[in-house]
Structures are given as structure tokens and as C-alpha cells.
């Protein structure tokens, strides 16, 4: 009986495991290098500010802008249907919420600037 190694068969993979581990180790090393490169790109993009904080900032800004848009739309419809220009009550939300969202953007931006200057 000749001992031909058929690496594609199940028996070939089971009988020669040391040869099969090398590609797995190489794949694991490649995955590790990809993960490290992705982490470096993320850190460079975010200037060291946690990604969750940046995402939260964006979500809050989008929610605020959406609420303001809906309120302005409702105010416009009330003014058109009523035939009179109604008091712009939406200014309270736009102004107050804008200050909060703007303060949040400045605070996170200043943290990123401080980290950049420290490096």
C-alpha cells in the first residue's frame, strides 16, 4: 500500500494535522494584523475620543434636527390653516436644544484637540 497524502480528503487532513495548522496560524496572524490596522485607523480617525461618544453625539444631533424640522412643519401648517402667522413656539426647542447640541460638539471637539496637542 502506498502512503500517498491526499490533503484534500478527510483522512489526509486527519492524518497530517501538523501540515494543516500552518495555514490556520497564518490566517490567525493575518486576522490579528488586520484588527491592529483597523484599530490604528479608528484611533487616527477619532483622535483618541471613544467611538461610542462620537456616535452618541451624532445621534443626539440628528434627533434634535428631526424634532426641530417636525415642529417647524407643524407650525407652518397651523399658520397656513389658521390664516394667521402663529407665534414661533418652536424657537424654544431650536434655541435650547441647539445650545445643548452645540455644547456637546464643542466639548468633544476640544477633548480631541487636547489629545492631538498632547501627542
Amino acid at each position: 500500500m502506498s502512503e500517498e497524502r491526499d490533503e484534500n480528503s478527510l483522512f489526509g487532513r486527519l492524518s497530517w494535522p501538523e501540515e494543516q495548522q500552518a495555514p490556520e496560524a497564518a490566517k490567525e496572524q493575518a486576522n490579528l494584523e488586520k484588527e491592529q490596522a483597523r484599530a490604528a485607523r479608528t484611533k487616527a480617525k477619532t483622535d483618541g475620543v471613544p467611538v461610542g461618544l462620537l456616535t452618541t453625539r451624532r445621534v443626539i444631533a440628528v434627533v434634535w434636527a428631526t424634532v426641530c424640522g417636525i415642529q417647524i412643519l407643524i407650525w407652518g401648517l397651523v399658520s397656513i390653516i389658521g390664516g394667521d402667522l402663529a407665534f414661533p413656539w418652536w424657537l424654544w426647542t431650536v434655541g435650547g436644544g441647539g445650545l445643548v447640541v452645540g455644547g456637546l460638539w464643542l466639548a468633544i471637539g476640544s477633548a480631541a484637540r487636547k489629545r492631538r496637542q498632547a501627542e
Side-chain angles (χ1 to χ4, degrees):
M1 238 173 139
S2 82
E3 291 232 1
E4 288 186 33
R5 294 188 292 188
D6 185 13
E7 295 172 0
N8 294 327
S9 72
L10 177 63
F11 181 72
R13 287 192 299 261
L14 292 175
S15 62
W16 305 102
E18 66 276 356
E19 292 179 7
Q20 296 299 317
Q21 289 180 6
E24 290 174 10
K27 287 179 185 176
E28 188 175 314
Q29 180 66 27
N31 287 339
L32 180 63
E33 289 172 1
K34 285 179 186 177
E35 184 65 33
Q36 289 172 344
R38 187 171 57 115
R41 281 193 308 269
T42 301
K43 184 177 180 192
K45 257 193 246 180
T46 62
D47 293 321
V49 176
V51 176
L53 193 57
L54 296 174
T55 303
T56 303
R57 178 178 73 170
R58 287 184 182 140
V59 168
I60 290 172
V62 168
V63 168
W64 169 75
T66 303
V67 168
C68 290
I70 291 170
Q71 287 182 347
I72 292 171
L73 179 67
I74 292 171
W75 173 77
L77 290 173
V78 167
S79 295
I80 290 171
I81 292 171
D84 188 20
L85 195 60
F87 176 75
W89 43 266
W90 48 266
L91 285 174
W92 294 105
T93 307
V94 172
L99 288 174
V100 171
V101 171
L104 184 62
W105 276 82
L106 286 174
I108 293 172
S110 67
R113 280 190 297 276
K114 284 179 185 176
R115 287 181 190 243
R116 238 183 282 138
Q117 290 173 353
E119 290 177 354

